[in-house]
Amino acid sequence: MTPDPRLIVALDLPSVEAAAAMVDRIGPAASFYKIGLELAFAGGLDLARRLVDKGHQVFLDFKLHDIPNTVTRATAQIANLGATFLTVHAYPQTMAAALAGRGSGGLQILGVSVLTSADDQDLAAAGYAEGAAALVARRAGQARDAGLQGLVLSPLELARVRSLVGPELRLVTPGIRPHGSQADDQKRTLAPGEAIAAGADYLVVGRPITGHADPRAAAAAIAAAMAHPA
Ligand code: C5P
């Protein structure tokens, strides 16, 4: 079994032990893992190092946003872990600061345009004059202009954002649900083959794999669907 390097499994699990056991259960069906803030604060940075040592790729979903000096220095520390992807909020200052800190070790910076939990009303309440669609487009353009390596976005935004940023930026999308699986709390989803056909370079998948009775079989089935985009 050869893993599809475009499939990223979200390790949204409460402990390092549970996450490491999940990686073992998935075995050769995946090679790229996402660690978020919950696991990071429960010892997940050590797990990230261990995964990198084992030859896996790691996506650190930390969504950094602070003054430039702090973002640059934090990014430089994160680069030492050997991760492949790090997320930052797609503010021009923050993106430039992260790029300044990533060094030459291969860490790629991904911008989070607008959180999918925020709708137009939430943005207005936070003082934004633009709605979510316009803000996603603005920030995608700013990410491209900053020289960012990629963007995280909803699968339903793929086609529009791809047309705005061109072929260079890596587009990474959560909100993936295989046909016939439950949506959980995801509201705007695409199936794996559909997301690849819509222009995704990487898919982030959590519960359809980690909540499955056979995580290895679930990951393998998603990889098979990715191989036949439709
Ligand atoms: O379990 P599920 O497949 O829904 O997991 C999706 C992963 O992608 C989670 O780690 C979630 O935090 C992340 N994510 C998301 N929507 C975004 C950004 C990140 O679902 N807009």
Side-chain angles (χ1 to χ4, degrees):
M1 192 185 288
T2 312
D4 189 323
R6 302 171 300 173
L7 173 60
I8 303 173
V9 180
L11 290 174
D12 296 324
L13 295 156
S15 71
V16 165
E17 292 71 26
M22 181 57 63
V23 171
D24 285 345
R25 287 177 74 192
I26 293 168
S31 59
F32 207 151
Y33 290 95
K34 181 170 91 72
I35 293 175
L37 289 173
E38 179 189 10
L39 198 54
F41 291 128
L45 295 185
D46 271 348
L47 177 67
R49 276 193 206 91
R50 275 165 31 212
L51 291 175
V52 169
D53 288 345
K54 279 199 202 162
H56 293 305
Q57 287 184 284
V58 172
F59 173 176
L60 295 175
D61 190 10
F62 294 170
K63 298 185 181 68
L64 300 188
H65 184 47
D66 207 316
I67 60 169
N69 180 56
T70 302
V71 171
T72 298
R73 295 170 69 130
T75 303
Q77 294 286 4
I78 289 167
N80 291 333
L81 294 170
T84 300
F85 288 155
L86 166 69
T87 47
V88 305
H89 283 281
Y91 288 74
Q93 256 193 354
T94 301
M95 294 190 284
L99 288 171
R102 80 184 179 108
S104 55
L107 178 66
Q108 298 178 46
I109 310 298
L110 304 180
V112 176
S113 55
V114 178
L115 292 173
T116 47
S117 54
D119 60 17
D120 290 354
Q121 228 180 338
D122 295 312
L123 292 172
Y128 289 94
E130 287 176 324
L135 202 50
V136 167
R138 173 191 294 271
R139 292 194 171 153
Q142 289 171 330
R144 177 201 57 213
D145 295 346
L148 222 63
Q149 283 73 42
L151 284 164
V152 180
L153 68 171
S154 144
L156 302 186
E157 292 164 350
L158 281 165
R160 197 167 60 99
V161 169
R162 177 61 80 197
S163 74
L164 288 171
V165 301
E168 292 299 314
L169 268 74
R170 309 292 83 197
L171 299 185
V172 179
T173 182
I176 301 300
R177 288 295 178 269
H179 290 299
S181 68
Q182 60 183 51
D184 304 308
D185 53 357
Q186 297 283 10
K187 294 194 177 121
R188 304 193 302 141
T189 65
L190 281 186
E194 293 168 349
I196 295 292
D201 296 298
Y202 294 88
L203 307 186
V204 176
V205 186
R207 289 161 290 181
I209 294 174
T210 59
H212 197 279
D214 186 344
R216 183 176 304 191
I222 289 171
M226 291 167 69
H228 299 100

